[in-house]
Amino acid sequence: MELSDRKLKVLAAIVDAYVKTGEPVGSKALAADLGVSSATVRNEMADLAEIGLLEQPHTSAGRIPSQKGYRVYIDRVMSLKPVTQEEQRYLEGMLFSSAYDQPKLLEGVSHMLAGLTRFAAVSTAPSGKKADIRALQFVQTSRRTAMLILLTSAGTMKHQIFRCEFDLSPEILRVFFRVLNERLAGVPVAAVTPAYIQTLAASLGDLTVMMSSALMALLEAAQESVEPEVRLNGQMNLLFHPEFERGNARRVMDFLERPQDLAELLLQPQKEVRVMIGDETRHPELRESSIIVAQYAIDGQRAGAIGIIGPTRMDYAGLIGKLDYLSHTVGRLLTELRQEE
């Protein structure tokens, strides 16, 4: 069945009304706004239901959008709401207080999104998977323990505590610093594998035994650096949406507790803000949910993502614009921070 302009207008009106009220939409509520009779609207609604764009949740005359209906609305009908200058100033003001520190900035943007939307919000830090080692630093923490700090070209920083069987001193840590930075600066983080560490240890000669604990700390920091780091806020917001009653919220929560799965979903290649509705996520726990994802770039390279998770009944037209604006702002601030470093 061909979707005429009038059918698309009826679909858009139903989506807009349902998002605002959460109640099934009847023909009488739309007739006056569309300038046609209730009978005409009913006929169009019946056609939209026949092709799977509308659903009837119970015996009332009202209809709600299906997942397929939301997709058609987003792809063919929706007009994005621009982010006003006042909203831009507010959003940037909320972020600038933490713009000097990458972890705080990414934590701040997900915290802010959770508060603004009343959904769950997530951000991912730049992965060290494609980064090089920029430097290693050492900080003594006690007589026989020290902290190894791994800095990467992606702006990530990981640290590991290691313990030696002898007393450490500033002179010994300076040796660790010099030896490892001479060999590792510029090496891809992903190349630091157990086999690489064994080869490196063999090349150190008499220093091998002394530096064995530091080498294991280096391996652990490198492995942690290549894993996507996910920051999640606002999970409890989902409990207050009627769509997540009868165990739906628990299923979504279970999924959100799997950061690897969540990161893979957020970091799929994309050119624009992406909306995944229900079954489009390919995760049964999210079949009643929608995810809006915007990825940010640092120095022109895709680096991470920010997103929100909520019910399929959400204000896509307003939220997509905000996510797009925030992703560009986060990318710009992190690029400036990288250049300052």
Side-chain angles (χ1 to χ4, degrees), residues 114-129:
L116 285 174
T117 63
R118 310 310 300 170
F119 300 143
V122 63
S123 64
T124 69
S127 170
K129 195 169 187 178

Side-chain angles (χ1 to χ4, degrees), residues 15 21 33 52 81 90 99 130 170 173 181 183 188 206 214 231-232 244 263 274 285 292-293 312 316 330-331:
V15 171
T21 67
D33 291 339
K81 299 176 184 176
Y90 173 77
K130 297 181 179 180
L173 291 180
N181 277 286
R183 287 166 170 77
D206 294 340
R231 293 174 173 82
L232 187 63
F244 292 123
R274 180 162 51 105
E285 303 95 329
I292 303 179
V293 182
T312 54
Y316 297 100
V330 168

Side-chain angles (χ1 to χ4, degrees), residues 102 125-136 149-158 181 184-190 221-222 225-226 296-303 334-341:
Q102 176 180 290
S127 170
K129 195 169 187 178
K130 297 181 179 180
D132 296 334
I133 294 175
R134 176 179 289 180
L136 293 167
I149 303 171
L150 171 65
L151 304 173
T152 77
S153 60
T156 59
M157 180 176 67
K158 299 297 179 181
N181 277 286
L184 291 164
V187 171
V189 178
S225 183
V226 298
Y296 62 85
I298 300 177
D299 288 329
Q301 299 296 317
R302 184 168 62 94
L334 290 179
T335 297
E336 293 173 356
L337 185 61
R338 177 83 56 80
Q339 291 170 349
E340 291 174 0
E341 293 176 349

Side-chain angles (χ1 to χ4, degrees), residues 105-168:
L105 176 61
L106 294 171
E107 176 70 23
V109 72
S110 59
H111 180 77
M112 179 178 66
L113 276 172
L116 285 174
T117 63
R118 310 310 300 170
F119 300 143
V122 63
S123 64
T124 69
S127 170
K129 195 169 187 178
K130 297 181 179 180
D132 296 334
I133 294 175
R134 176 179 289 180
L136 293 167
Q137 296 179 0
F138 294 88
V139 178
Q140 187 165 354
T141 54
S142 73
R143 186 165 59 94
R144 292 193 171 187
T145 63
M147 177 188 295
L148 175 145
I149 303 171
L150 171 65
L151 304 173
T152 77
S153 60
T156 59
M157 180 176 67
K158 299 297 179 181
H159 56 81
Q160 289 289 334
I161 301 291
F162 62 94
R163 186 180 189 281
C164 297
E165 298 302 321
F166 52 85
D167 290 352
L168 290 167

